[in-house]
Amino acid sequence: MRQYRYKHITIDAISIGGVENCYLLKDYKFAVDIGRGPQQVIEIPNIFITHGHLDHAAGIPYYFSQRSLKGKEPGTVYVPKKLKKPLNAILKKWHKIEGFQYSNTIKGLKHLSTVPLTEGYYIKCFESFHRIPGLSYALMRKTSKLKKEFLNLPGEQIKKLRESKKDIFDAQHICVAFFSGDTTIEVLEKYPEARQAKVLVIECTYIDDARPIERARKWGHIHLDEIIDKHKLFENEKIFLTHFSRRYQPSYIKEILNQKLPDEIKNRIEPIIF
Ligand SMILES: [Zn+2]
Ligand SMILES: [Zn+2]
């Protein structure tokens, strides 16, 4: 895994399309996808799985087994609802194979489900557009903002209003980071959270004409040319491109990005490549 940073957001990541994908946000106590179960992810209590393809989900039995061996709390793996039953059946079989019973908690999520994390932060789910059921995940921060009508009042008066328990605040929900998982570009068109997230981690499986847009769409993925076509939609401060096909060498990816990306978006983009 390698570490990526933007302001106060630190992401430990590994990402190769079709091979292994895992993003870990230690400070917020969660990971998105588990890949093949890298050692670092065993320590994380909440894992959000975008979909059931093995490059994102293979490490689930290993995660529960390792946590049990280390005497840790079982941890919770959150999955798109349809995966809960088959995964529990698989885990039962692993208990038999391993010859010991360990506890595991798998929770099903659907479009717009929310899960509280650390103080003031929560995860919000969005249906993704892939070949099998999937979810994108947004790390949200809830804050409160003074209502418009009180904005110009002097501090003393605001203090009095607060003491009188008058409701002078509006809740504000800010998308801190958005993880697309495997999906077509619709995820960006449909969800303002994806466009406005401070940090966007978005898949970009294909980048050249050997695998054109139609092919990317057919397999439920995003092509770099679509990101370029729609680059005005991206309001994000930082955009990490991930899940590049393993057919591309890192130097080739850098070269293509450098050639093709328009200046307005280029300086906000960083590829996660291995
Ligand atoms: Zn994948
Ligand atoms: Zn997939």
Side-chain angles (χ1 to χ4, degrees):
M1 293 189 112
R2 218 172 276 151
Q3 201 162 78
Y4 296 83
R5 268 208 193 105
Y6 177 70
K7 291 187 176 169
H8 57 282
I9 305 277
T10 303
I11 305 175
D12 287 289
I14 177 157
S15 178
I16 310 168
V19 177
E20 176 159 35
N21 297 277
C22 176
Y23 311 96
L24 213 144
L25 284 82
K26 227 184 268 169
D27 300 338
Y28 299 91
K29 298 193 165 69
F30 77 98
V32 172
D33 286 335
I34 199 164
R36 293 181 286 192
Q39 253 334 293
Q40 297 95 313
V41 90
I42 308 302
E43 309 301 320
I44 305 296
N46 305 293
I47 314 287
F48 294 86
I49 302 292
T50 59
H51 65 296
H53 283 148
L54 283 179
D55 53 325
H56 302 258
I60 293 172
Y62 185 67
Y63 171 77
F64 286 123
S65 173
Q66 285 288 302
R67 282 185 74 93
S68 174
L69 282 174
K70 291 182 169 186
K72 288 183 177 299
E73 297 284 307
T76 307
V77 173
Y78 297 90
V79 299
K81 217 167 145 208
K82 276 196 176 155
L83 283 185
K84 188 179 160 174
K85 219 172 143 190
L87 277 172
N88 273 322
I90 287 170
L91 284 162
K92 249 190 200 156
K93 292 230 156 85
W94 273 116
H95 293 166
K96 253 194 191 155
I97 292 167
E98 292 217 85
F100 85 106
Q101 191 83 25
Y102 38 85
S103 41
N104 46 261
T105 315
I106 294 197
K107 289 189 177 165
L109 298 173
K110 56 184 198 308
H111 184 56
L112 303 182
S113 297
T114 57
V115 178
L117 284 178
T118 48
E119 181 79 34
Y121 290 87
Y122 65 97
I123 294 285
K124 188 173 178 185
C125 308
F126 298 89
E127 192 186 350
S128 59
F129 307 89
H130 197 36
R131 290 184 299 120
I132 55 172
L135 292 170
S136 302
Y137 294 109
L139 170 63
M140 305 290 298
R141 182 159 68 97
K142 189 183 171 193
T143 57
S144 48
K145 198 174 84 175
L146 210 54
K147 283 183 178 169
K148 260 192 202 141
E149 59 264 42
F150 302 115
L151 274 177
N152 295 321
L153 288 184
E156 195 55 30
Q157 230 167 313
I158 288 179
K159 203 178 151 203
K160 269 189 194 152
L161 283 168
R162 282 183 83 159
E163 280 163 7
S164 71
K165 300 240 158 64
K166 191 172 166 57
D167 182 16
I168 56 170
F169 293 105
D170 278 329
Q172 199 180 21
H173 299 264
I174 296 164
C175 185
V176 178
F178 190 97
F179 299 84
S180 74
D182 286 8
T183 181
T184 57
I185 195 80
E186 272 78 358
V187 84
L188 191 78
E189 294 166 330
K190 264 199 128 164
Y191 306 129
E193 285 83 350
R195 298 192 294 274
Q196 293 161 4
K198 305 270 178 233
V199 176
L200 173 65
V201 179
I202 188 167
E203 77 126 283
C204 178
T205 306
Y206 299 118
I207 61 172
D208 65 12
D209 296 339
R211 291 282 188 284
I213 289 178
E214 309 82 73
R215 194 181 164 117
R217 293 191 62 78
K218 189 179 154 211
W219 288 96
H221 291 300
I222 296 174
H223 193 289
L224 176 64
D225 293 351
E226 295 174 284
I227 291 175
I228 291 167
D229 285 347
K230 298 181 195 303
H231 75 271
K232 289 201 164 26
L233 288 179
F234 292 80
E235 296 167 42
N236 321 90
E237 291 177 17
K238 180 81 182 179
I239 303 152
F240 290 107
L241 300 183
T242 66
H243 199 267
F244 291 103
S245 163
R246 68 175 150 182
R247 56 188 288 113
Y248 308 126
Q249 289 298 318
S251 57
Y252 179 69
I253 295 171
K254 281 184 197 158
E255 188 190 314
I256 292 282
L257 292 182
N258 201 30
Q259 267 175 28
K260 285 188 168 182
L261 284 170
D263 285 341
E264 295 125 276
I265 196 171
K266 196 185 257 179
N267 60 359
R268 289 182 281 151
I269 284 190
E270 184 175 345
I272 294 186
I273 34 185
F274 286 82

